[in-house]
Amino acid sequence: MSPSDLLDQPLVVDAKQLDWTPSPADGVVRKRLKHSGPAESGMVTSLVRYRPASHFDRHYHPDGEEILVLEGVFSDEHGDYPAGSYLLNPDGSGHRPFSEPGCLLLVKLRQYPGEGRQQLALDTGQMAWQALDRPGVFRKQLYRQAGFDERISLIQLRPGTELSPLCHPAGAEIFVLEGSVEDEQGRYDEGCFIQLPPGYCHQPRSRTGCVLYLKQG
């Protein structure tokens, strides 16, 4: 368990302040937002950039892999996934990923253990925003499956939205995809990763509007 797993206050990492570092594959670089365990086989959340015509050798995914394509086109032997694509590759699955034009990804490794998870490939650009019961808040649900705790969504706050106090009994992780969001602790702009500890309560608001990746549970 890493020190960040023990925090009772949010962990905030601004990806813009991090340097790109090499990965085991030529032409693929990364910014690690959160990592625990061995250097190349631990639990990790990263931004990953494939330069044009780069690839990874075929590999498998102990405890699963989650990918949100932020820019460009990500590919493997199963298909091509443009910006806005969401992939969940379950425990034990494998592929040979590559990108011809280059791409930028949000990647989570070794965070989805357990047999029976669905394998997903969603085009979020074709999904409609669903209004929630909080004014100015909309959602695209990406993953929720009986027998597993995670609830993963894209959340949109319209400009000027201010929420009533919101609590996260099991904690949450947020990545700011567009715009900025604020709470009592500060302002989080595009590229910020926020880990909220279990039981944390806050009051989010967005003056400009924003789109967030949100993982709960």
Side-chain angles (χ1 to χ4, degrees):
M1 181 175 291
S2 71
S4 64
D5 294 323
L6 302 176
L7 293 177
D8 59 3
Q9 293 295 316
L11 168 71
V12 179
V13 179
D14 184 353
K16 296 187 295 297
Q17 303 302 316
L18 302 178
D19 293 327
W20 291 104
T21 60
S23 79
D26 289 341
V28 182
V29 293
R30 62 198 177 187
K31 294 183 178 185
R32 288 184 161 180
L33 306 175
K34 182 187 175 189
H35 174 256
S36 61
E40 298 301 335
S41 60
M43 181 186 297
V44 63
T45 298
S46 302
L47 288 180
V48 177
R49 183 176 293 282
Y50 282 65
R51 297 190 175 120
S54 57
H55 71 274
F56 252 97
D57 292 337
R58 182 170 180 82
H59 60 273
Y60 294 89
H61 300 122
D63 295 336
E65 173 191 56
E66 181 186 24
I67 296 172
L68 182 62
V69 184
L70 305 180
E71 299 174 6
V73 180
F74 173 75
S75 302
D76 63 14
E77 62 268 42
H78 307 297
D80 299 319
Y81 311 102
S85 297
Y86 174 81
L87 308 175
L88 185 64
N89 295 315
D91 195 343
S93 62
H95 63 167
R96 182 185 181 275
F98 62 95
S99 181
E100 289 301 331
C103 63
L104 177 66
L105 314 173
L106 176 66
V107 179
K108 299 175 78 67
L109 297 176
R110 292 182 177 262
Q111 298 178 43
Y112 299 96
E115 296 182 359
R117 287 189 188 268
Q118 300 171 353
Q119 186 157 18
L120 297 177
L122 306 176
D123 182 352
T124 68
Q126 300 300 314
M127 299 168 63
W129 288 105
Q130 303 295 321
L132 301 185
D133 58 0
R134 296 171 181 257
V137 185
F138 297 80
R139 178 177 67 191
K140 294 181 181 182
Q141 184 167 287
L142 303 180
Y143 178 74
R144 189 170 188 180
Q145 184 178 348
F148 299 97
D149 293 336
E150 298 88 359
R151 291 177 292 157
I152 301 166
S153 306
L154 299 182
I155 300 293
Q156 181 189 68
L157 302 185
R158 297 283 171 85
T161 297
E162 184 166 347
L163 300 181
S164 56
L166 181 64
C167 294
H168 303 276
E173 292 183 344
I174 297 167
F175 185 76
V176 183
L177 298 168
E178 299 175 15
S180 64
V181 64
E182 302 174 48
D183 64 11
E184 300 89 331
Q185 300 297 319
R187 170 174 162 167
Y188 315 103
D189 295 324
E190 181 177 328
C192 280
F193 171 78
I194 308 130
Q195 179 190 348
L196 303 177
Y200 188 78
C201 298
H202 62 155
Q203 190 167 1
R205 59 189 181 273
S206 181
R207 300 175 186 175
T208 61
C210 63
V211 178
L212 313 172
Y213 163 95
L214 173 64
K215 176 182 177 182
Q216 298 169 290

mmCIF file of all heavy atoms in Angstrom, residues 178-199:
data_model
loop_
_atom_site.group_PDB
_atom_site.id
_atom_site.type_symbol
_atom_site.label_atom_id
_atom_site.label_comp_id
_atom_site.label_asym_id
_atom_site.label_seq_id
_atom_site.Cartn_x
_atom_site.Cartn_y
_atom_site.Cartn_z
ATOM 1 N N GLU A 178 -12.079 18.314 -19.400
ATOM 2 C CA GLU A 178 -12.288 19.621 -20.029
ATOM 3 C C GLU A 178 -12.693 20.621 -18.958
ATOM 4 O O GLU A 178 -13.376 20.271 -17.999
ATOM 5 C CB GLU A 178 -13.401 19.562 -21.082
ATOM 6 C CG GLU A 178 -13.161 18.615 -22.236
ATOM 7 C CD GLU A 178 -14.365 18.549 -23.159
ATOM 8 O OE1 GLU A 178 -15.260 19.433 -23.079
ATOM 9 O OE2 GLU A 178 -14.436 17.608 -23.970
ATOM 10 N N GLY A 179 -12.308 21.882 -19.131
ATOM 11 C CA GLY A 179 -12.743 22.942 -18.236
ATOM 12 C C GLY A 179 -12.096 22.872 -16.874
ATOM 13 O O GLY A 179 -10.964 22.388 -16.725
ATOM 14 N N SER A 180 -12.805 23.321 -15.863
ATOM 15 C CA SER A 180 -12.280 23.300 -14.499
ATOM 16 C C SER A 180 -13.425 23.124 -13.512
ATOM 17 O O SER A 180 -14.572 23.494 -13.792
ATOM 18 C CB SER A 180 -11.512 24.590 -14.178
ATOM 19 O OG SER A 180 -12.369 25.707 -14.204
ATOM 20 N N VAL A 181 -13.090 22.541 -12.356
ATOM 21 C CA VAL A 181 -14.043 22.335 -11.281
ATOM 22 C C VAL A 181 -13.386 22.796 -9.990
ATOM 23 O O VAL A 181 -12.154 22.748 -9.846
ATOM 24 C CB VAL A 181 -14.477 20.850 -11.206
ATOM 25 C CG1 VAL A 181 -13.300 19.945 -10.857
ATOM 26 C CG2 VAL A 181 -15.628 20.648 -10.233
ATOM 27 N N GLU A 182 -14.188 23.270 -9.063
ATOM 28 C CA GLU A 182 -13.681 23.764 -7.785
ATOM 29 C C GLU A 182 -14.428 23.101 -6.639
ATOM 30 O O GLU A 182 -15.539 22.602 -6.794
ATOM 31 C CB GLU A 182 -13.884 25.285 -7.685
ATOM 32 C CG GLU A 182 -13.233 26.094 -8.787
ATOM 33 C CD GLU A 182 -13.601 27.563 -8.686
ATOM 34 O OE1 GLU A 182 -13.503 28.127 -7.584
ATOM 35 O OE2 GLU A 182 -14.016 28.131 -9.710
ATOM 36 N N ASP A 183 -13.798 23.113 -5.463
ATOM 37 C CA ASP A 183 -14.483 22.797 -4.213
ATOM 38 C C ASP A 183 -13.817 23.606 -3.100
ATOM 39 O O ASP A 183 -13.061 24.543 -3.383
ATOM 40 C CB ASP A 183 -14.521 21.291 -3.926
ATOM 41 C CG ASP A 183 -13.137 20.690 -3.713
ATOM 42 O OD1 ASP A 183 -12.145 21.445 -3.580
ATOM 43 O OD2 ASP A 183 -13.042 19.446 -3.672
ATOM 44 N N GLU A 184 -14.076 23.245 -1.864
ATOM 45 C CA GLU A 184 -13.546 24.026 -0.745
ATOM 46 C C GLU A 184 -12.021 24.001 -0.681
ATOM 47 O O GLU A 184 -11.402 24.885 -0.078
ATOM 48 C CB GLU A 184 -14.105 23.489 0.582
ATOM 49 C CG GLU A 184 -15.612 23.543 0.690
ATOM 50 C CD GLU A 184 -16.307 22.314 0.154
ATOM 51 O OE1 GLU A 184 -15.765 21.639 -0.772
ATOM 52 O OE2 GLU A 184 -17.401 21.994 0.641
ATOM 53 N N GLN A 185 -11.390 22.991 -1.293
ATOM 54 C CA GLN A 185 -9.939 22.845 -1.222
ATOM 55 C C GLN A 185 -9.205 23.572 -2.345
ATOM 56 O O GLN A 185 -8.003 23.795 -2.252
ATOM 57 C CB GLN A 185 -9.571 21.361 -1.254
ATOM 58 C CG GLN A 185 -10.159 20.539 -0.123
ATOM 59 C CD GLN A 185 -9.658 20.987 1.230
ATOM 60 O OE1 GLN A 185 -8.480 21.297 1.388
ATOM 61 N NE2 GLN A 185 -10.542 21.021 2.213
ATOM 62 N N GLY A 186 -9.909 23.926 -3.428
ATOM 63 C CA GLY A 186 -9.209 24.598 -4.505
ATOM 64 C C GLY A 186 -9.862 24.383 -5.854
ATOM 65 O O GLY A 186 -10.982 23.891 -5.964
ATOM 66 N N ARG A 187 -9.116 24.754 -6.884
ATOM 67 C CA ARG A 187 -9.577 24.663 -8.267
ATOM 68 C C ARG A 187 -8.743 23.620 -8.997
ATOM 69 O O ARG A 187 -7.518 23.565 -8.837
ATOM 70 C CB ARG A 187 -9.447 26.018 -8.947
ATOM 71 C CG ARG A 187 -9.663 25.992 -10.451
ATOM 72 C CD ARG A 187 -9.652 27.384 -11.024
ATOM 73 N NE ARG A 187 -9.435 27.352 -12.471
ATOM 74 C CZ ARG A 187 -9.624 28.382 -13.266
ATOM 75 N NH1 ARG A 187 -10.032 29.539 -12.759
ATOM 76 N NH2 ARG A 187 -9.398 28.284 -14.556
ATOM 77 N N TYR A 188 -9.408 22.841 -9.843
ATOM 78 C CA TYR A 188 -8.760 21.753 -10.556
ATOM 79 C C TYR A 188 -9.035 21.935 -12.051
ATOM 80 O O TYR A 188 -10.182 21.842 -12.493
ATOM 81 C CB TYR A 188 -9.282 20.402 -10.060
ATOM 82 C CG TYR A 188 -9.371 20.345 -8.546
ATOM 83 C CD1 TYR A 188 -10.604 20.462 -7.908
ATOM 84 C CD2 TYR A 188 -8.222 20.225 -7.765
ATOM 85 C CE1 TYR A 188 -10.697 20.440 -6.525
ATOM 86 C CE2 TYR A 188 -8.309 20.209 -6.376
ATOM 87 C CZ TYR A 188 -9.545 20.311 -5.761
ATOM 88 O OH TYR A 188 -9.633 20.309 -4.394
ATOM 89 N N ASP A 189 -7.976 22.194 -12.807
ATOM 90 C CA ASP A 189 -8.105 22.461 -14.231
ATOM 91 C C ASP A 189 -7.907 21.184 -15.040
ATOM 92 O O ASP A 189 -7.546 20.129 -14.500
ATOM 93 C CB ASP A 189 -7.082 23.512 -14.657
ATOM 94 C CG ASP A 189 -7.344 24.872 -14.018
ATOM 95 O OD1 ASP A 189 -8.524 25.227 -13.857
ATOM 96 O OD2 ASP A 189 -6.363 25.560 -13.657
ATOM 97 N N GLU A 190 -8.130 21.317 -16.342
ATOM 98 C CA GLU A 190 -7.944 20.190 -17.259
ATOM 99 C C GLU A 190 -6.584 19.536 -17.020
ATOM 100 O O GLU A 190 -5.565 20.206 -16.929
ATOM 101 C CB GLU A 190 -8.042 20.690 -18.700
ATOM 102 C CG GLU A 190 -7.893 19.616 -19.749
ATOM 103 C CD GLU A 190 -8.067 20.162 -21.150
ATOM 104 O OE1 GLU A 190 -8.849 21.125 -21.329
ATOM 105 O OE2 GLU A 190 -7.422 19.630 -22.068
ATOM 106 N N GLY A 191 -6.584 18.222 -16.910
ATOM 107 C CA GLY A 191 -5.347 17.484 -16.665
ATOM 108 C C GLY A 191 -5.086 17.166 -15.219
ATOM 109 O O GLY A 191 -4.092 16.486 -14.912
ATOM 110 N N CYS A 192 -5.957 17.591 -14.301
ATOM 111 C CA CYS A 192 -5.780 17.271 -12.877
ATOM 112 C C CYS A 192 -6.411 15.912 -12.543
ATOM 113 O O CYS A 192 -7.534 15.614 -12.960
ATOM 114 C CB CYS A 192 -6.396 18.341 -11.995
ATOM 115 S SG CYS A 192 -5.371 19.802 -11.782
ATOM 116 N N PHE A 193 -5.676 15.126 -11.773
ATOM 117 C CA PHE A 193 -6.157 13.854 -11.228
ATOM 118 C C PHE A 193 -6.374 14.045 -9.738
ATOM 119 O O PHE A 193 -5.497 14.554 -9.036
ATOM 120 C CB PHE A 193 -5.131 12.752 -11.474
ATOM 121 C CG PHE A 193 -5.435 11.455 -10.772
ATOM 122 C CD1 PHE A 193 -6.384 10.587 -11.284
ATOM 123 C CD2 PHE A 193 -4.770 11.106 -9.604
ATOM 124 C CE1 PHE A 193 -6.665 9.387 -10.644
ATOM 125 C CE2 PHE A 193 -5.044 9.916 -8.958
ATOM 126 C CZ PHE A 193 -5.990 9.052 -9.484
ATOM 127 N N ILE A 194 -7.544 13.653 -9.241
ATOM 128 C CA ILE A 194 -7.901 13.836 -7.830
ATOM 129 C C ILE A 194 -8.360 12.505 -7.267
ATOM 130 O O ILE A 194 -9.278 11.877 -7.818
ATOM 131 C CB ILE A 194 -9.025 14.869 -7.657
ATOM 132 C CG1 ILE A 194 -8.682 16.187 -8.372
ATOM 133 C CG2 ILE A 194 -9.307 15.130 -6.182
ATOM 134 C CD1 ILE A 194 -9.773 16.681 -9.267
ATOM 135 N N GLN A 195 -7.731 12.063 -6.182
ATOM 136 C CA GLN A 195 -8.189 10.888 -5.450
ATOM 137 C C GLN A 195 -8.826 11.352 -4.147
ATOM 138 O O GLN A 195 -8.183 12.040 -3.338
ATOM 139 C CB GLN A 195 -7.033 9.936 -5.147
ATOM 140 C CG GLN A 195 -7.472 8.706 -4.365
ATOM 141 C CD GLN A 195 -6.307 7.893 -3.847
ATOM 142 O OE1 GLN A 195 -5.164 8.119 -4.243
ATOM 143 N NE2 GLN A 195 -6.578 6.961 -2.967
ATOM 144 N N LEU A 196 -10.091 10.985 -3.936
ATOM 145 C CA LEU A 196 -10.815 11.348 -2.725
ATOM 146 C C LEU A 196 -10.889 10.144 -1.808
ATOM 147 O O LEU A 196 -11.298 9.060 -2.231
ATOM 148 C CB LEU A 196 -12.231 11.827 -3.075
ATOM 149 C CG LEU A 196 -12.307 13.014 -4.051
ATOM 150 C CD1 LEU A 196 -13.761 13.339 -4.359
ATOM 151 C CD2 LEU A 196 -11.588 14.224 -3.496
ATOM 152 N N PRO A 197 -10.522 10.285 -0.540
ATOM 153 C CA PRO A 197 -10.525 9.143 0.376
ATOM 154 C C PRO A 197 -11.945 8.742 0.758
ATOM 155 O O PRO A 197 -12.884 9.531 0.636
ATOM 156 C CB PRO A 197 -9.748 9.667 1.588
ATOM 157 C CG PRO A 197 -9.937 11.147 1.550
ATOM 158 C CD PRO A 197 -10.018 11.522 0.102
ATOM 159 N N PRO A 198 -12.131 7.505 1.221
ATOM 160 C CA PRO A 198 -13.463 7.067 1.656
ATOM 161 C C PRO A 198 -14.044 7.993 2.716
ATOM 162 O O PRO A 198 -13.352 8.440 3.635
ATOM 163 C CB PRO A 198 -13.200 5.668 2.222
ATOM 164 C CG PRO A 198 -11.989 5.195 1.493
ATOM 165 C CD PRO A 198 -11.143 6.417 1.300
ATOM 166 N N GLY A 199 -15.336 8.321 2.530
ATOM 167 C CA GLY A 199 -16.033 9.177 3.467
ATOM 168 C C GLY A 199 -15.853 10.661 3.233
ATOM 169 O O GLY A 199 -16.414 11.471 3.972
#
